[in-house]
Structure formats: structure tokens, C-alpha cells
Amino acid sequence: MVIIWNDLACGDREAAAVLVALNSVFQVIAFAALGWFYLDVLPGWLGLPQAALNVSPWEIAVNVLIFLGIPLVAGYLSRRLGEHSLGRDWYESRFLPRVGPFALYGLLFTIVILFALQGDAIIGRPLDVARIALPLLAYFAIMWAGSYALGKAVGLSYERTTTLAFTAAGNNFELAIAVAIATFGVTSGQALAGVVGPLIEVPVLVALVYVSLAARRRWAATPATTPAEPAQEPR
């Protein structure tokens, strides 16, 4: 999804691919530890009541490896073997266009099924939906605007700044939904939170795409500042 938002906003595609790959590797390594931290450690530090969850970090790690590690390894091997045997042109012009849509079909199928299963909860528990939605709105706004300001401050181009902003603001809800279903069950509150996430993410990031394109026009209209050439001394 991050790559889609980045392409729509005319960001740097190569930089987005690198950042998404690094993010995926980081999540394979750290997702289970973060789940343990947020579910077990942090509530104790803050003095909050802890839910009676019998979930181990290892169980979360196994689900992450299944739903993220296997596709990551499969993608790497398919590119390496495909390019080695039939060349990059065949791999990118014939293989990827045929295989790529299946990922989108699988994601759409999963979301439709989850909406069907969670429809009563979404309609019947509007306050819970709002409690999930408000922190997400704050997250998208803060991360996107902060990353955009940082890129502008350090002198990155529009393309790199846009890629940085959408990578920071994007959420891997696909992984969150898969792990929530496998760990807590398809009708759990955790699965509900994962389903509400895309409902908020899609319209907000589409709006941010339009904001980026408007900023791009202003960016292009700003004259580039180049150091003045020294005046030629008359001979």
C-alpha cells in the first residue's frame, strides 16, 4: 500500500521499494517483541489494567514468519531464479504482471470477508470504532507532516520527501489483520481493530496524496537557489 500511495503522489519509486523492504525485514525481527512490549510490559509501567491474554511472543513471531517471512523469501527467490534463468526483461515484463494482481485479489478477499464477519460489531459499537479511529487519525497526521517537514528541512527533493512521508505514515494493516486473526480469532476485538484500520487509512492517505501533489506544484514553482558566479575581473 505504501508503494501505491507513493506512486500516486509521484514519489521516488526506487527509494520506496528499498524502505518497504527494510521495513518488512524489521517487522519480521521486531514485531513479536513489540507485541509483547505493548501487551504486557507497557500497561504495567503505566499502571493500566492488563487484559487476560494468554499470548506468547513466540506465537506472534510464528504468525509473522508465516504471513510476512514466507512471501518475502518467495519474492526474493522468484526474482533471483527468474532473472538468472530467463533474464530481467522476461521477469519484469511477463512474470510480474501475471503474478502481481493475485496479491491484490488476496488482500481484497480478506478485507471483504472480515468486513462481513465484523459488520455487526462495526455498526453496533460506534464508540469502540471511534476510539480506534481517533488515535489513527492523529498518527497519520503527525507522522506524515513531521516526516515531510524533516525532508524539507534537510534539503531532500520532493520525490524523496514524499517517499519518506508516506513510508512513515503507512501502516502494515495487512500483517496486523493476519496476526490478529491467527492469534486471537476472526471475531475478536483485535481483529476488529485491524479491520477499522484500513477504513481510516485509505481515505486519509488518499487525501494526503492530493496534499502532496499540491505541495509538488508549489515546490516546482519555487526557484532554485544557486550560488552566484563571481564577476569577471576586467583585463
Side-chain angles (χ1 to χ4, degrees), residues 10 39 51 55 65 67 73 89 99 101 115 124 126 129 134 143 155-156 159 167 182 190-191 196 198 200 204 223:
C10 301
L39 293 174
V55 179
L65 289 174
F67 291 106
V73 173
D89 291 339
V99 175
F115 283 152
V129 173
L134 290 177
M143 294 301 294
L156 295 179
E159 290 77 12
T167 303
Q190 291 81 3
V196 173
I200 307 302
V204 170

Side-chain angles (χ1 to χ4, degrees), residues 71 94-110:
R94 300 187 62 182
F95 179 77
L96 287 182
R98 293 183 180 181
V99 175
F102 287 98
L104 180 60
Y105 299 154
L107 175 61
L108 292 176
F109 174 79
T110 303

Side-chain angles (χ1 to χ4, degrees), residues 55-148:
V55 179
S56 67
W58 174 245
E59 185 177 359
I60 299 176
V62 169
N63 292 323
V64 173
L65 289 174
I66 292 173
F67 291 106
L68 191 60
I70 292 176
L72 186 63
V73 173
Y76 170 77
L77 292 178
S78 68
R79 173 172 286 275
R80 187 173 182 84
L81 297 176
E83 290 186 357
H84 179 72
S85 58
L86 296 172
R88 175 173 292 186
D89 291 339
W90 175 88
Y91 182 83
E92 295 185 350
S93 63
R94 300 187 62 182
F95 179 77
L96 287 182
R98 293 183 180 181
V99 175
F102 287 98
L104 180 60
Y105 299 154
L107 175 61
L108 292 176
F109 174 79
T110 303
I111 291 177
V112 169
I113 294 299
L114 284 172
F115 283 152
L117 294 174
Q118 295 282 358
D120 290 339
I122 293 174
I123 296 174
R125 296 159 60 184
L127 291 180
D128 289 343
V129 173
R131 290 173 60 190
I132 299 170
L134 290 177
L136 288 174
L137 288 173
Y139 169 84
F140 292 134
I142 294 172
M143 294 301 294
W144 189 90
S147 300
Y148 213 92

Side-chain angles (χ1 to χ4, degrees), residues 21-34 57 60-73 172 175:
L22 292 175
N23 185 43
S24 297
V25 172
F26 174 77
Q27 289 185 80
V28 170
I29 297 172
F31 199 92
L34 290 173
I60 299 176
V62 169
N63 292 323
V64 173
L65 289 174
I66 292 173
F67 291 106
L68 191 60
I70 292 176
L72 186 63
V73 173
N172 199 340
L175 176 62

